[in-house]
Structures are given as structure tokens and as C-alpha cells.
Amino acid sequence: MDARPLVENYHSATASARHFADPIVFWDETLRDGEQMPGVHFSPEEKLRIATVLSEVGVQVIDAGIPVVSPDEAEAVRTVVGAGLRAKILASARTVAGDVDAVIRTGATHIAIFVAASEVHLRYKLKMTQEQVLEASLASVRQAKDAGLHVAFVTEDTVRAPFDYVERLYKAVQEAGADRLVVSDTVGIMTPLTFRWYLEEFARRVHPKDWSVHCHNDFGLAVANTLTALEVGVTTPHVCVNGLGERSGNASLEEVVVALESLYGVRTGLKTERLYELSRLVEEVSGVPIAPNKALVGYNSFSHEAGIHTHGILAHTLTYEPLQPEVVGRHRQMILGKHTGKAALVEKLKEHGITTTDPLLVELLRRVKNGGEARGKDELHRFLEEYRTLFEHPGLTDKEFWQMVDDAGIRGNAP
Ligand code: MN
């Protein structure tokens, strides 16, 4: 028998360029950044449901939210903290004493203290100088350390801030006791090669004891950039189930984990076979539908209709699938329609123990193709119309808002 492998794997050719941490620590942001997605809100019970499965899957750190946001949010964080999950529960705070206090009161063991770093954020949003940001950061880090918390220090917009300032700020907070430094690509403008350069420069200048990245998906590069960071040796990727998050979202948990496992052979220790279940739970609770062509958890990820593809898959799944669907807890689907070929029909008939002659098969194929083409799109169009109405404006409607303005007696009181 031919000893050549069925497929070549060139990842081995570049293996020496990768320096994965062991273990890689997954820091899930679904309940914080994910919840900041327009229209998404979780009740304390819903946060607990998601956190429970995240923890069972093996995610090590869960950001449960920002307690100072509202009494409900503080309650949600306390609920997750109180559940005794295996994962470490983290809560987030601005560099404000009251925010840090609010985290301490939840009983969370981990805190993420965040402040902005780029000039545009300092000048227009915070209206603070670099010195003021530095002072506030040091005070908050010390406050949290004094309370015995594990402290991650985060700057928003790190990669658009002056490097000299980033270096000074991160070195100072690390000296003040920060345990983990988080580099954020808040508006998703990095590309893998630039990010590699950035992180290597960051490591050379700052010498982080432990570090993390927070990548956004504005250009569809969040997962690629996160993998790049892990290749460089970053220990703790921020991820969100289904890539949820502000605007176009964050790096998707399932994509980062399965890319590590299946492309590089990294054993993450996570139960990948429960990722689809987790994805469906978050779809249901967030109300944000999974795109049909979403990697790994999209409804099409392991479906085949085209005759050539189905024929290939039936002969050997490696022809048109890079991994087995069972890896993420799914099954392969053969879709019948316009593009179906004979091989799929033979296979389908076999399910009922039926074999048939070629002329009958040709006739059946004609009917299946016609049936596929004749399927009306009315139902689909009605659904899309409703979907657009719901998702183009996911928050309160204008009508609801103006009703609230009237109910609050604001219109009549205009000066
Ligand atoms: Mn973010």
C-alpha cells in the first residue's frame, strides 16, 4: 500500500516559529463584552446557566460583568460567584475606587481593571492626561491587591496608543502588583503580522509576568490575531461564545479552541465535544442567531449538497471536511436539492435497505432536482423581513422611546 499521507500538513513546517503557553488559559468574555452587544441582556439566572456550561467545558476564567453598572448586574455577578463553579470568576472595574469596591463586594477572586490608553480616548473620552491615567491605574491596582484579588490590568485601545506610554504604564502597574497584563485591539485593526511585531516589541519592553489579548472582529481578523498572539506565547486569550461582543464581536471561543486542537495539535484540555451545545445555549439566551456559514457551529459547517462534494465525502470525509463534526459535538448532514448527485441518493436509499436500478435512480434524481428548484422562497422572505426588523434596531423602538419621553413629562417642560 502507498505510504504517502492522504493530506499534507504544512503546519509542522512552521512549528518552530510557535511558542504556545502550557496551559493556555481561556478567559471568556461572553457575559461582559458579549452582553454589550446591542440588544443583548442576560438575567442573573441566564448568566449562571451560561457560566455553568463554560466552566464544565473547561474555561478557566469567566468575566461575569461590571458590578457597578446596576444592582441587577451586581446581583448577577454575585450569583455566578456563589455557584461554586470550577472556573475562576472575574468581574470588571474602571480605574475608579467605587468600581473596584463593587467588585470586592461580589466576592469575585479576580478583577480586570480597565482604562483607555490611546490619545483619542484620553483627550475626547476620559478628558485625562497620561499622568492622571497612570495615577488612577496605580491607585486601583493597589486597592484591588490590598483586598487580595488577582488583578488583570487592561487598557482599551492599547494598539493605537503611543508605545512609550504603554511601556511606562504597564511597567508601573506590574510593579504595583498587577498579575496579568491585557493588550487590547479594541477596534479590531490589527493584522496577524503586525500584531506579531507588536507583541514581540511589548514583551521586549515590558517583560510581562503573564499576559493576555483582547481582539475584536471589525475586519474579521479577531481569531487570526488571537492565534497569532498565542503563537507568540501569550497565555490568556479573551474569547466569546459565537464571537459575540460589541459591533462585529470578539474572537470566537469555539474557533480559537478548535483551531488550536485541530490545526496545531495543542491539547487545550477543553471538552470540545460540548462546544456546539454551548453555542446553541448562547444563541438561545442571547437571542443572536448563529450565521448559517459561521465556522464550526454554523448550520452549514458540516452539511453537503453539491453532488461532487457529497460523492467525495461518501468516499472519504477528508476530501471536503478538515475535521470530524463529532469533535464539536455535531453530525454530518447530507442536504437534498438542486445540486444533489446520484451517490447521495444511493446512500440515502441504503438507510432503508433499498437498492435500485440506474434508470430508476436517474428518474428519482430528476425529481429531487426539480423539487429543489421548485421550492418557493415566500416563507424564507417572510422570515428575512421579520429578522431584519428585529436585528436592524434591536433595542427599544423609537415609538417606545418617545412614549417614555412623554411619560416622564419631558416634552412639556422644554425651556
Ligand atoms: Mn471589547
Side-chain angles (χ1 to χ4, degrees):
M1 192 163 143
D2 199 330
R4 278 176 299 185
L6 288 173
V7 291
E8 301 296 333
N9 178 359
Y10 296 114
H11 289 299
S12 57
T14 54
S16 64
R18 292 190 292 271
H19 308 280
F20 291 115
D22 184 19
I24 290 169
V25 176
F26 289 88
W27 168 334
D28 186 87
E29 280 284 327
T30 309
L31 303 181
R32 205 274 306 167
D33 206 318
E35 196 192 21
Q36 285 171 217
M37 193 163 191
V40 176
H41 54 92
F42 300 131
S43 69
E45 293 69 32
E46 288 170 336
K47 284 204 172 188
L48 181 57
R49 273 179 76 194
I50 294 172
T52 302
V53 180
L54 280 169
S55 179
E56 286 171 5
V57 163
V59 167
Q60 297 97 323
V61 179
I62 298 173
D63 186 349
I66 309 178
V68 85
V69 162
S70 73
D72 246 23
E73 177 77 348
E75 176 58 29
V77 175
R78 274 196 302 274
T79 303
V80 176
V81 167
L85 303 176
R86 197 158 159 238
K88 304 267 190 280
I89 306 305
L90 174 149
S92 293
R94 293 170 301 176
T95 51
V96 173
D99 283 33
V100 177
D101 269 334
V103 171
I104 294 168
R105 282 197 302 273
T106 64
T109 55
H110 285 49
I111 187 172
I113 293 170
F114 66 92
V115 71
S118 66
E119 242 349 84
V120 66
H121 276 255
L122 263 59
R123 236 183 273 174
Y124 287 93
K125 188 185 81 175
L126 296 177
K127 302 193 195 311
M128 286 166 83
T129 64
Q130 290 186 342
E131 288 319 306
Q132 288 170 328
V133 165
L134 181 66
E135 284 314 310
S137 301
L138 289 174
S140 294
V141 167
R142 289 186 185 122
Q143 185 188 351
K145 282 314 293 179
D146 286 347
L149 298 184
H150 178 283
V151 176
F153 178 75
V154 187
T155 60
E156 294 176 277
D157 217 14
T158 325
V159 299
R160 294 195 304 173
F163 223 135
D164 289 344
Y165 180 58
V166 168
E167 177 182 347
R168 200 152 65 84
L169 179 61
Y170 277 86
K171 272 181 167 168
V173 294
Q174 186 162 257
E175 226 156 86
D179 300 285
R180 181 175 282 149
L181 305 180
V182 184
V183 171
S184 305
D185 183 11
T186 299
V187 292
I189 46 90
M190 279 286 134
T191 58
L193 210 54
T194 312
F195 203 31
R196 170 174 276 270
W197 170 84
Y198 185 94
L199 291 167
E200 285 172 349
E201 186 70 5
F202 184 91
R204 194 178 64 75
R205 290 183 180 218
V206 179
H207 302 291
K209 283 184 294 188
D210 188 9
W211 54 335
S212 174
V213 292
H214 180 91
C215 295
H216 271 274
N217 204 35
D218 296 73
F219 287 87
L221 292 166
V223 169
N225 289 334
T226 301
L227 290 175
T228 296
L230 296 173
E231 289 174 356
V232 171
V234 164
T235 61
T236 310
H238 284 205
V239 287
C240 281
V241 179
N242 295 343
L244 239 54
E246 301 252 20
R247 305 182 311 282
S248 301
N250 291 265
S252 127
L253 166 69
E254 54 283 1
E255 290 175 32
V256 173
V257 172
V258 177
L260 284 169
E261 295 263 350
S262 295
L263 303 180
Y264 300 134
V266 172
R267 297 280 78 95
T268 61
L270 267 64
K271 297 192 172 76
T272 64
E273 70 280 5
R274 290 193 65 187
L275 288 172
Y276 189 54
E277 170 199 344
L278 175 61
S279 167
R280 292 291 292 262
L281 171 67
V282 170
E283 179 186 50
E284 181 196 316
V285 176
S286 67
V288 179
I290 302 165
N293 58 345
K294 164 85 171 61
L296 303 169
V297 293
Y299 296 107
N300 293 348
S301 308
F302 299 96
S303 295
H304 308 276
E305 178 181 325
I308 295 170
H309 285 228
T310 308
H311 185 218
I313 286 288
L314 291 170
H316 197 300
T317 61
L318 264 180
T319 51
Y320 290 105
E321 283 177 355
L323 75 162
Q324 295 294 310
E326 287 75 15
V327 168
V328 289
R330 304 191 63 181
H331 299 290
R332 183 174 297 112
Q333 282 193 85
M334 297 299 178
I335 308 297
L336 296 177
K338 177 183 172 179
H339 304 101
T340 295
K342 267 196 251 177
L345 297 186
V346 170
E347 194 64 22
K348 190 83 186 158
L349 291 171
K350 251 197 234 164
E351 286 173 17
H352 284 245
I354 302 168
T355 48
T356 186
T357 61
D358 203 55
L360 284 175
L361 205 57
V362 169
E363 173 54 20
L364 180 61
L365 186 62
R366 193 185 64 76
R367 290 179 188 222
V368 166
K369 281 173 180 286
N370 285 348
E373 282 175 317
R375 280 197 87 168
K377 292 183 187 165
D378 289 352
E379 199 189 340
L380 191 64
H381 287 160
R382 272 195 301 277
F383 167 75
L384 278 177
E385 185 103 354
E386 215 170 303
Y387 177 89
R388 285 188 184 125
T389 312
L390 277 169
F391 285 94
E392 278 178 349
H393 300 286
L396 297 172
T397 63
D398 260 18
K399 202 175 155 214
E400 287 170 313
F401 173 73
W402 291 113
Q403 186 61 51
M404 287 173 187
V405 169
D406 287 339
D407 293 348
I410 286 170
R411 229 192 265 268
N413 291 336

